[in-house]
Amino acid sequence: MATEDCSIEIIEYKSLDSLVSIESEESVSATTPLTVSATPSVSKVAATQPKAKPRKSKPTHLLYATEDRMSQMDIDGLKETPWRKTCNWNNMFETLAELKDELENFEPMGDLLTGEVQFPQVNILLFGGIGAGKSSVFNTINSVFRGKIFNVARSGFSEHSLTTKFTKYPVMSGSSTLPMPLKFRICDIRGLEQEHLMTKENMRYILEGSIADRFPFDPSGNISADMPGFKKHPDLDEKIHCVALVQDASIVDAMQDLSPEVTKNIKEMQTVMNSLDIPQVVILTKIDSICEATKQDAANAFRSPKVEKCVGKVSEVLGLPRNMVFPMKNYENEYQLDASIDTMALLTLKGILNNCDAHLFNHYDEIVKKYAVAERRNP
């Protein structure tokens, strides 16, 4: 029996770096109906008559797309409406550029201080258990402003903490012809483990700015005011203005913990932070390990019920509002910058800097008196 060819139309979804298409030019018999199944993201197309244009039904699986990527919206049951409103993800590159420009021009309490008063910079402390990703948080944020993957702090997997010193890292922008340190520093310390828990006295020394940069620091060690580099009367710009508690999402999701001792120690340190009126936030790292859709595209975190549930758990355990918990994916496997990861990192940083400003507001009179430009020129 003679046969004729019938071509099936291509159905494509394109973005800057991904492409989904259905193979075309399928030959079918003129007398035998044929059903062709597409990829999971595209509906079935039926061809029942020769040389007739096949009918297309609506896709049974919606696609969540940004300008440069796509991922299946049905993976992990992503919500159609984000559980947290953040930014315009559909115009990500413009959003990213605006966020980066805003943070590069950040001035502590810039909306309240006149040009004659300038606070030098704010200090953010990263604090948490070993392996939570503290150093990787700094490396990720630093990479965004440098415009390339740029690992300064030691990070990775080890039985014991790779960070052995208290370090105040400046963040430099690579977008200017004359790179200058931005108006915030990220401070990193050794990760907590059962044999190296933080004492309240040591935490107070750190928060009050008494510990010198690059100081070899053991959380459980003894620090004396007579030690070289110890500052007995630090200025406000040398103190910590916000603490970011870094938590591994995979541990929270599995209902596990590094150890009961570590959790108890973190809560004890929160009492010291509260006594000094220092705000705390949580950076929830490794969110890609609990949600496949977020692994494909970090932007899906704010549509993921798994990430939302994890945020709720951390909020409850550490006693902080949910809007003080910031999901974030660190650069780990990537060797090129990713717009979604960059945007999430900057949203996290913006939230932390807002808390720094809130803390400085309580010291407004001191700042106006002590940090006037004329005063610093003529002490």
Side-chain angles (χ1 to χ4, degrees):
M1 182 179 294
T3 59
E4 297 182 9
D5 288 339
C6 175
S7 297
I8 295 179
E9 179 181 340
I10 297 175
I11 302 176
E12 294 183 326
Y13 291 83
K14 294 183 178 180
S15 65
L16 295 180
D17 62 356
S18 62
L19 177 66
V20 179
S21 63
I22 304 176
E23 209 174 293
S24 62
E25 300 299 329
E26 295 282 352
S27 295
V28 297
S29 170
T31 58
T32 305
L34 177 67
T35 299
V36 179
S37 296
T39 58
S41 301
V42 187
S43 63
K44 297 180 178 180
V45 181
T48 57
Q49 297 180 1
K51 294 186 179 180
K53 185 176 180 180
R55 297 173 61 186
K56 302 188 290 289
S57 61
K58 294 182 179 180
T60 56
H61 295 74
L62 297 176
L63 292 177
Y64 172 78
T66 62
E67 283 190 351
D68 67 333
R69 69 186 61 238
M70 297 189 320
S71 58
Q72 291 180 2
M73 199 164 174
D74 61 324
I75 297 179
D76 288 328
L78 292 183
K79 295 184 174 183
E80 186 173 347
T81 302
W83 52 267
R84 176 181 294 173
K85 293 183 179 180
T86 52
C87 62
N88 182 8
W89 291 98
N90 291 321
N91 196 1
M92 191 186 307
F93 290 106
E94 182 177 337
T95 299
L96 177 57
E98 290 174 354
L99 274 171
K100 189 175 180 182
D101 181 69
E102 177 184 351
L103 296 176
E104 284 180 332
N105 292 285
F106 167 76
E107 291 285 343
M109 293 187 67
D111 57 336
L112 294 176
L113 301 178
T114 65
E116 297 179 352
V117 180
Q118 295 179 1
F119 193 77
Q121 75 277 316
V122 295
N123 300 309
I124 303 159
L125 177 66
L126 302 178
F127 181 64
I130 181 177
K134 298 185 306 302
S135 298
S136 294
V137 167
F138 165 71
N139 285 334
T140 297
I141 292 174
N142 196 40
S143 294
V144 177
F145 290 102
R146 293 292 296 167
K148 58 185 177 182
I149 303 296
F150 202 74
N151 293 328
V152 175
R154 293 183 63 198
S155 61
F157 302 96
S158 176
E159 183 180 355
H160 299 289
S161 180
L162 293 174
T163 303
T164 58
K165 298 179 180 179
F166 172 70
T167 306
K168 293 181 177 180
Y169 289 110
V171 178
M172 305 285 289
S173 172
S175 60
S176 172
T177 54
L178 294 174
M180 295 289 289
L182 302 181
K183 293 296 185 72
F184 53 87
R185 293 185 297 190
I186 299 179
C187 307
D188 195 12
I189 58 174
R190 180 171 183 150
L192 298 177
E193 47 190 312
Q194 191 166 348
E195 299 79 13
H196 297 276
L197 299 176
M198 181 74 73
T199 67
K200 289 186 176 182
E201 186 177 30
N202 286 352
M203 174 54 75
R204 183 174 290 273
Y205 286 150
I206 291 175
L207 298 177
E208 292 185 337
S210 296
I211 306 300
D213 185 27
R214 310 287 173 174
F215 184 82
F217 186 77
D218 182 343
S220 58
N222 294 320
I223 297 178
S224 169
D226 298 325
M227 297 179 69
F230 186 93
K231 296 184 178 181
K232 296 182 179 180
H233 304 288
D235 292 329
L236 181 59
D237 61 278
E238 297 174 302
K239 299 182 179 183
I240 298 298
H241 307 109
C242 181
V243 177
L245 307 171
V246 183
Q247 177 66 57
D248 181 346
S250 63
I251 293 176
V252 177
D253 186 61
M255 299 290 288
Q256 298 173 351
D257 200 349
L258 294 173
S259 71
E261 291 81 3
V262 170
T263 300
K264 180 181 178 181
N265 192 232
I266 291 175
K267 291 183 177 181
E268 287 176 348
M269 296 309 106
Q270 285 186 274
T271 64
V272 180
M273 300 167 197
N274 292 333
S275 69
L276 297 173
D277 294 323
I278 296 177
Q280 305 132 54
V281 304
V282 177
I283 299 179
L284 192 62
T285 60
K286 305 181 183 182
I287 54 174
D288 52 313
S289 67
I290 66 170
C291 174
E292 182 63 29
T294 301
K295 186 176 182 179
Q296 291 189 15
D297 186 348
N300 286 326
F302 296 108
R303 296 176 183 268
S304 168
K306 291 185 177 181
V307 175
E308 180 185 19
K309 183 179 179 181
C310 195
V311 167
K313 284 183 183 179
V314 173
S315 169
E316 183 178 349
V317 170
L318 296 178
L320 296 173
R322 289 164 55 91
N323 62 2
M324 291 294 104
V325 181
F326 298 96
M328 178 173 164
K329 182 186 183 308
N330 289 328
Y331 281 116
E332 179 187 354
N333 187 49
E334 300 79 6
Y335 58 88
Q336 290 183 331
L337 294 182
D338 178 279
S340 290
I341 296 176
D342 286 2
T343 301
M344 289 197 75
L346 295 188
L347 287 172
T348 298
L349 178 60
K350 181 177 179 179
I352 294 173
L353 293 179
N354 286 342
N355 278 276
C356 289
D357 268 1
H359 175 68
L360 291 179
F361 181 76
N362 295 325
H363 300 270
Y364 179 80
D365 292 338
E366 177 185 349
I367 292 173
V368 171
K369 181 179 179 180
K370 192 169 185 178
Y371 292 93
V373 176
E375 286 250 345
R376 283 185 287 159
R377 287 176 181 170
N378 303 294

